Structure formats: C-alpha cells, structure tokens
Amino acid sequence: MCIRDRDIQHISSGHSVEMVRLAKKLGAKVWAEVTPHHFTLTEDAVLKHGTLAKMNPPLRTEEDRQMLIQGLKDGTIDMIATDHAPHTAEEKSRGLAGSAMGIVGLECAFPLMYKYMVLPGTLTLEKLVALMSDNPRRIFGLGGGLNVGGEADFTVLDLGAQYEIDPAAFLSKGRATPFAGWPVQGRAVLTIVGGREAYMDETMKTNK
C-alpha cells in the first residue's frame, strides 16, 4: 500500500486492514481504499489469466480477501476505487515480467460489486453507494451530488440488467480484464455531470 497525506490507497492484504483498524482506534485521522479486484480475486487468478491479473499491489490469498471484505463491512475501509488502468493489448502481452501493471476497472466495478457483494447480502446497496460515491466526495471535498441549487452529478442504474462482462463492448481504450465472461448484474444507463448528460446507454435512447 502507499500513503498520500492521510489516504491509504489500494489496500490488498489483511495486515494492512489490521494496521488501518488500529490507527483509527488510536485516533489517527486516516482513510483507506480498496479495489474490486482485490476483494473478488486471489493470487490464483494469475495462474489462469496471466498478465490480465497482473497489478500493483498484487493479488493476495483467500485469507487476505476475506479480511478486506470484513474491513469494508465494519467501516475500517472507507472507499472502493477502480484503479482504472486502460493499457493496450501490446502493453499486456510482454509476459509476466515485462507487461504493464493494472487492469480496466471503470466498466466492471459496479456490476461486480452489486452481483457479488450486494445480492448475496454482504453489503447493502446503500453501503455500496457510500463506498463508491458519497464517502470519496465527503473525504476529499469533491462537491457534486444532488444538493439543492447545485449542478447535479449522478448515475442512473438498471439494477435488473443481467449480462456477462464483454471486453469488446468496453468504451474504455483498454480491454485488459480477468473478469471477461463473468455473469454480473446492474448497468449504468445514464450519467449526468455538472447538470449535463455525459453518457446515455443505447437502451435509454431507444426508449425515449
């Protein structure tokens, strides 16, 4: 993990969760963040997916994964971030030693979390929204949201949408993901930034 000011980024190990939990107990003003891939995958994914599962920090053990999930549940970890890294196919084709670190995160994050964390009851939807949106805005003073008189920032989600992750359908310039073919649920169909439409899914356009 790395520390920038008081934000501990990309937690990947159970020991890191314990350190943050202790720091908060002792009164330190710290916040911690974790990525979806670190609490949905383990180091075994590298054997299956090769460079598509190469990231920094690396994937850990099942015990670490479970401790990360517990840190999300009990409030030790404050935020979920994508660590979006849209590398080209060439940058990820140089073998484990030479390929770039990181995977595409933006288009997989919410559907993965909704399918594998909210629907089984590990997190509530409200908790997930706080981890991905409300907490980062509050901690870093980002503004936005749905405050009266402000310029609206929000995303409309189709929680019933069920599909498999397909890298070919990504809008990102990167396609590197170990989640290709994973069944997920929940799709962003409309994004408003600063009161203006930034993205609209094709299904929304045809249903106007």
Side-chain angles (χ1 to χ4, degrees):
M1 63 182 182
C2 61
I3 298 178
R4 181 180 297 169
D5 297 328
R6 295 166 182 162
D7 172 33
I8 303 174
Q9 301 175 320
H10 310 342
I11 280 184
S12 63
S13 74
H15 293 301
S16 297
V17 177
E18 292 175 338
M19 290 170 63
V20 172
R21 187 177 289 122
L22 176 60
K24 288 187 173 186
K25 185 177 180 179
L26 293 175
K29 192 175 182 182
V30 297
W31 308 283
E33 163 256 281
V34 67
T35 71
H37 38 278
H38 282 111
F39 60 87
T40 53
L41 299 171
T42 69
E43 58 194 358
D44 292 340
V46 179
L47 298 176
K48 182 176 181 180
H49 300 289
T51 61
L52 295 180
K54 180 186 178 183
M55 56 202 64
N56 186 26
L59 298 170
R60 309 289 185 179
T61 67
E62 176 62 17
E63 181 181 5
D64 289 307
R65 190 180 78 86
Q66 292 299 329
M67 293 176 74
L68 293 174
I69 292 173
Q70 184 57 42
L72 286 169
K73 293 172 65 176
D74 66 22
T76 300
I77 299 174
D78 305 275
M79 295 167 281
I80 294 173
T82 66
D83 194 22
H84 181 70
H87 296 297
T88 65
E90 193 279 328
E91 290 173 322
K92 296 292 282 184
S93 65
R94 302 168 187 166
L96 280 175
S99 291
M101 302 265 190
I103 62 174
V104 170
L106 287 177
E107 289 164 283
C108 302
F110 181 83
L112 281 170
M113 298 305 92
Y114 188 70
K115 170 73 173 182
Y116 296 102
M117 298 293 282
V118 173
L119 292 181
T122 304
L123 296 176
T124 65
L125 178 58
E126 291 75 15
K127 177 75 169 178
L128 179 60
V129 171
L131 287 164
M132 297 188 73
S133 178
D134 295 342
N135 291 355
R137 281 208 322 274
R138 171 178 52 81
I139 290 169
F140 298 113
L142 299 178
L146 293 173
N147 297 320
V148 176
E151 293 185 332
D153 291 338
F154 65 89
T155 296
V156 176
L157 300 162
D158 179 359
L159 297 181
Q162 300 182 44
Y163 55 100
E164 292 184 355
I165 292 178
D166 178 9
F170 287 174
L171 297 180
S172 167
K173 293 181 178 180
R175 300 288 185 270
T177 178
F179 296 112
W182 277 45
V184 292
Q185 186 167 332
R187 187 195 302 274
V189 294
L190 177 67
T191 300
I192 302 295
V193 179
R196 297 183 178 182
E197 178 188 308
Y199 168 76
M200 180 180 289
D201 187 78
E202 290 298 322
T203 57
M204 289 283 285
K205 295 177 183 178
T206 58
N207 290 334
K208 275 189 174 182

